[in-house]
Amino acid sequence: MDIQLIAMDLDGTALCPDHASFTPRLEAALLEAHRRGVSIVPATGRQYLLLPPPIQAMPDWADLVVLCNGAEVRRLRTGEIVSAHYMAAEELAPLIRAAEQLDIPIELSVGGTLHLTQACLDRERTIEGLRFHLSVLEQRGRLVEDMESFAAGAGRVFEKANLLGVTPAVWKELSPVLETLPLSYAWATSASLEVTCRAATKAEGIRTVCRLLGVDMAHVMALGDSGNDISSLTAAGLGVAMGSAPAEVKAAADAVTASNAEDGAALAIERYVLGRETASL
């Protein structure tokens, strides 16, 4: 397959389990692909100000980035927004009220800062598996008195909302609310939802990049590990799921590589882009 663009998720895919670094093997594979003329585009749920060190360092191969699951496409070096799909307060108000009624922590992202109430923060501290997320809040979290009043503030628009600790019982109550709203949502983990504008998905963000670069989606390889990657895995010419991905993500992909802890992203690039058949998956 003639791969002309690699759309690469970060956490759980390209990044090591530390959420902060690439392996030397992946760095080498990305650089070789770039030298062969392949475009490389991080496609992440993260905000621009929360990009990890390997991307903040502005490597030679990086230019355009898909952020907040497609809510933004930016130029890495300047931060210029080339495409944006934000949510308005009135779209979010029913979701905020439902989250409060169901005792689900909800965070609203504005300008790369995550806003939440003290009650939400206290609740998050009791949920297992949020160690990394809580460290993110230490950097870019801000407490507000009342979420609905904050959302209604003059001129505010929102890149995404996070809902955490969503159990099956809670989802049964929450899903009918989400289905009535003009929003997209995707599972970031088995218990965490990311909500964006209806037009904002990773697949749509990648399509925007393809239009800018003159690349057909049939020549895109997408790499991902979570529910928020399913749209890109199914839309790309070649979707590759990580070995650590949930079953529904693997089912959406054309191929499965090793986990991020086993250099799965590097192996996929070596095999499908660089043509090294000895790269075992």
Side-chain angles (χ1 to χ4, degrees):
M1 179 176 285
D2 176 22
I3 300 299
Q4 299 172 14
L5 187 149
I6 299 167
M8 181 178 68
D9 174 51
L10 295 177
D11 295 286
T13 298
L15 290 169
C16 295
D18 63 5
H19 297 277
S21 62
F22 291 162
T23 67
R25 184 172 182 173
L26 178 58
E27 289 180 342
L30 291 169
L31 186 57
E32 185 173 346
H34 168 71
R35 287 171 175 164
R36 293 191 186 190
V38 177
S39 298
I40 300 161
V41 179
T44 179
R46 293 194 187 211
Q47 300 90 330
Y48 182 72
L49 294 174
L50 284 170
L51 286 170
I55 308 299
Q56 289 179 356
M58 299 184 184
D60 291 341
W61 47 261
D63 179 19
L64 294 164
V65 291
V66 175
L67 301 160
C68 299
N69 294 339
E72 291 183 343
V73 176
R74 293 196 188 217
R75 295 198 182 278
L76 178 61
R77 284 160 179 77
T78 64
E80 173 195 356
I81 298 172
V82 297
S83 174
H85 300 284
Y86 298 134
M87 297 178 289
E90 57 267 25
E91 296 172 319
L92 284 167
L95 183 62
I96 294 169
R97 290 193 288 268
E100 290 175 348
Q101 291 168 4
L102 294 168
D103 193 28
I104 312 167
I106 184 169
E107 305 166 348
L108 300 183
S109 178
V110 184
T113 296
L114 291 167
H115 298 78
L116 71 166
T117 64
Q118 183 66 57
C120 286
L121 179 59
D122 292 343
R123 177 76 177 85
E124 287 184 28
R125 286 172 173 157
T126 70
I127 299 172
E128 290 186 13
L130 293 187
R131 186 179 204 177
F132 172 68
H133 186 74
L134 290 171
S135 73
V136 171
L137 290 179
E138 290 177 4
Q139 301 175 59
R140 299 295 304 177
R142 181 180 174 185
L143 293 176
V144 299
E145 287 292 327
D146 177 79
M147 190 64 79
E148 194 168 354
S149 298
F150 167 75
R156 289 197 179 104
V157 291
F158 305 91
E159 300 120 5
K160 72 170 184 171
N162 296 326
L163 294 100
L164 301 105
V166 182
T167 64
V170 166
W171 177 240
K172 186 177 179 180
E173 300 293 327
L174 180 64
S175 57
V177 177
L178 271 171
E179 294 297 339
T180 67
L181 300 176
L183 304 172
S184 293
Y185 62 88
W187 292 94
T189 71
S190 61
S192 300
L193 277 172
E194 295 177 325
V195 180
T196 55
C197 170
R198 179 164 286 171
T201 65
K202 285 192 179 183
E204 288 306 314
I206 295 164
R207 286 191 181 98
T208 296
V209 170
C210 285
R211 287 193 293 269
L212 291 169
L213 299 180
V215 175
D216 191 288
M217 283 290 286
H219 299 292
V220 173
M221 179 175 77
L223 294 162
D225 74 301
S226 298
N228 60 14
D229 297 307
I230 288 176
S231 69
S232 58
L233 293 175
T234 56
L238 177 64
V240 181
M242 307 303 290
S244 51
E248 63 271 18
V249 178
K250 292 178 180 177
D254 301 297
V256 177
T257 184
S259 72
N260 62 325
E262 302 166 309
D263 252 328
L267 286 166
I269 293 168
E270 289 170 359
R271 179 169 184 177
Y272 297 117
V273 180
L274 304 180
R276 295 179 191 159
E277 294 299 333
T278 55
S280 174
L281 301 181

